[in-house]
Amino acid sequence: MKTFPMFLQMAGRRVTVVGGGEQAAQKVRLLLKTEAQIIVHADDLDPELEGLRDAGKITQASAVVTQADFTDRALVFIATGCPGADAASHAVAKAAGAVVNVVDQPDLCDAITPSIVDRDPVVVAIGTEGTAPVLARQIKTKIEQQLEPRLGDLAALAGRLRDLAATRLGPRDRRDLWRWVFNGPVRDAHARGAERDAAKQIKTAIETGEFSREQGGSVALVGAGPGAKDLITLRGVQRLQEADIIFYDRLVDPDILELARRDAERVYVGKAPGNHSWPQDKISNILVSAAKQGKRVVRLKCGDPGIFARGLEEAEALAAAGIAFEIVPGVTAATAACAAQNRFLTERQEIDAVIMTTGRTATNDGPPEWLSELRPGTRVCLYMGVHSAVELQEHLLKSQYVDQIQIEVVAEAQTDRQKTVDCGVRDLMTALAENEITGTAILSVVLRKSAAAAANPPLRLIDTAS
């Protein structure tokens, strides 16, 4: 970011606006939403500013400015409409050490005015660093439509009741309370104008401690996606923000953990191939233990928790202990690998069967079972397949389709370390070595219908009668 978003304390502070025309009036309209003291330097004011001055909402001062007029100001806006006068006032303001915004001159701006969605005290600021104000206004319009007009009043009500909630409820119950307030019937009632009823519901909930919430602990088995933090689902982000404790894997991008609450406990339970520092039964037991303590638990897994992620073992342990759990699906590595190459798992008239399997079976005796299913129109996605690439190549070399099979390799898909390789069966090991692919990767064995048909054209009858 070239600019840093921040909300400034304005109550009781002074703001200087240089200029008395429409541009200055636009800035004053924004400032009137704050509790700042507004001083407008201009000899002549437009009618709107005159009315504000006469109503005592702004103070008019001389158009001739000195450093003293810019000293100890929260902000300075310069909007005379004259480039020369703006530049001169800017120089004086900077000499006084002020933070300055010069209207329509971004090179002279220390601060840029964002587009604002105002539901005081809820304020949303949208900025594009001055590059696309039209886009900022479009985003503002969408957010305006999403946030009900009375939302700020509900937030203010919650603020007035926070101290009462703090004296009656513990930290976990307070989080549950406010989640209930902002995600359920209280918010709905307030939005339709039943403000007294909404306030009564909140006060009763605080006094009695009875409101819609999860009793005891719970566990969410959350798929983090293949790597990039923006590929986790919205539900997954929500569960992270609700969690008291998060158990995460080796392959989970650390940036994803930044989506969680700051005070949520984070526990690494990573397992590397051949080095299971946390055995699966230990992980399952600690999930049960944390939930029994009343904690809201997230088990964060790379990819999808239901695809080669040992999610079943954990779910069975939770069910056996009577712990409520939820499965939040994620983008699995096979899908991410294809997307990384601008390809698709299935292709109309070319690939109509997808097999997801691992490079090694539990016994690893003989050829893999999927090899007998490899026929034209099939894609086989091999998870953890690099370490068994030698055996894979040996088996595929015996296939009748060996020269029509395409191997697609994507290592560390959807990360900045991503590598992609296409090769034939005979070139697999050379391709892996040349591209230094030794770890996490998806190997896809692809046999398209058109490739197989070209190698085995149908018989044709030849007319020799003539």
Side-chain angles (χ1 to χ4, degrees), residues 280-317:
Q280 185 57 54
D281 59 348
K282 181 178 179 181
I283 295 174
S284 298
N285 290 338
I286 201 169
L287 294 179
V288 170
S289 175
K292 284 186 174 180
Q293 294 172 31
K295 295 181 179 179
R296 188 175 290 111
V297 181
V298 163
R299 173 70 169 102
L300 190 62
K301 294 173 171 288
C302 187
D304 183 285
I307 299 180
F308 307 120
R310 308 293 294 271
L312 178 60
E313 291 94 324
E314 294 166 3
E316 288 178 338

Side-chain angles (χ1 to χ4, degrees), residues 93-315:
K94 292 307 298 176
V99 176
V100 184
N101 174 281
V102 182
V103 175
D104 292 336
Q105 296 193 52
D107 291 342
L108 298 181
C109 290
D110 302 311
I112 298 174
T113 305
S115 292
I116 294 174
V117 178
D118 183 11
R119 299 287 190 276
D120 184 33
V122 177
V123 179
V124 181
I126 306 111
T128 62
E129 297 186 342
T131 61
V134 171
L135 175 60
R137 287 194 292 272
Q138 290 178 350
I139 296 171
K140 166 184 164 68
T141 299
K142 290 184 178 181
I143 297 177
E144 289 277 12
Q145 295 168 350
Q146 293 174 344
L147 302 182
E148 62 269 26
R150 294 187 176 90
L151 181 60
D153 293 335
L154 178 59
L157 172 61
R160 294 192 295 272
L161 295 175
R162 286 182 68 86
D163 288 345
L164 177 62
T167 63
R168 299 278 184 171
L169 303 172
R172 163 70 183 273
D173 284 345
R174 290 200 300 272
R175 288 196 297 271
D176 286 342
L177 167 72
W178 299 122
R179 186 172 62 154
W180 170 72
V181 167
F182 292 115
N183 286 282
V186 172
R187 182 170 177 177
D188 293 340
H190 197 279
R192 66 174 181 265
E195 298 178 5
R196 290 184 179 179
D197 179 54
K200 183 178 179 180
Q201 289 187 58
I202 299 174
K203 291 176 182 178
T204 300
I206 293 173
E207 292 292 339
T208 64
E210 297 178 0
F211 45 88
S212 297
R213 58 180 172 177
E214 296 173 3
Q215 299 297 325
S218 64
V219 179
L221 306 175
V222 177
K229 74 173 184 179
D230 56 353
L231 286 179
I232 189 173
T233 65
L234 291 175
R235 186 180 297 180
V237 173
Q238 183 179 21
R239 296 299 176 267
L240 282 176
Q241 293 175 347
E242 296 168 351
D244 300 309
I245 185 168
I246 301 164
F247 298 95
Y248 65 99
D249 278 346
R250 174 178 63 94
L251 297 178
V252 170
D253 187 335
D255 286 344
I256 291 178
L257 294 173
E258 295 302 314
L259 299 172
R261 289 199 344 263
R262 291 183 182 179
D263 59 341
E265 185 180 354
R266 295 155 172 81
V267 180
Y268 173 70
V269 293
K271 296 187 293 182
N275 182 23
H276 292 193
S277 57
W278 275 69
Q280 185 57 54
D281 59 348
K282 181 178 179 181
I283 295 174
S284 298
N285 290 338
I286 201 169
L287 294 179
V288 170
S289 175
K292 284 186 174 180
Q293 294 172 31
K295 295 181 179 179
R296 188 175 290 111
V297 181
V298 163
R299 173 70 169 102
L300 190 62
K301 294 173 171 288
C302 187
D304 183 285
I307 299 180
F308 307 120
R310 308 293 294 271
L312 178 60
E313 291 94 324
E314 294 166 3

Side-chain angles (χ1 to χ4, degrees), residues 258-386:
E258 295 302 314
L259 299 172
R261 289 199 344 263
R262 291 183 182 179
D263 59 341
E265 185 180 354
R266 295 155 172 81
V267 180
Y268 173 70
V269 293
K271 296 187 293 182
N275 182 23
H276 292 193
S277 57
W278 275 69
Q280 185 57 54
D281 59 348
K282 181 178 179 181
I283 295 174
S284 298
N285 290 338
I286 201 169
L287 294 179
V288 170
S289 175
K292 284 186 174 180
Q293 294 172 31
K295 295 181 179 179
R296 188 175 290 111
V297 181
V298 163
R299 173 70 169 102
L300 190 62
K301 294 173 171 288
C302 187
D304 183 285
I307 299 180
F308 307 120
R310 308 293 294 271
L312 178 60
E313 291 94 324
E314 294 166 3
E316 288 178 338
L318 294 167
I323 303 297
F325 69 90
E326 173 191 13
I327 301 172
V328 180
V331 178
T332 190
T335 302
C338 277
Q341 297 177 297
N342 287 332
R343 291 172 175 159
F344 302 90
L345 286 174
T346 62
E347 300 173 15
R348 189 169 181 267
Q349 298 181 341
E350 287 286 355
I351 302 174
D352 52 23
V354 177
I355 298 172
M356 295 183 183
T357 186
T358 59
R360 292 184 181 272
T361 62
T363 60
N364 205 40
D365 294 331
E369 293 181 1
W370 61 262
L371 196 59
S372 63
E373 302 294 328
L374 183 60
R375 54 177 58 91
T378 303
R379 175 189 292 274
V380 180
C381 300
L382 293 166
Y383 289 67
M384 300 163 283
V386 172

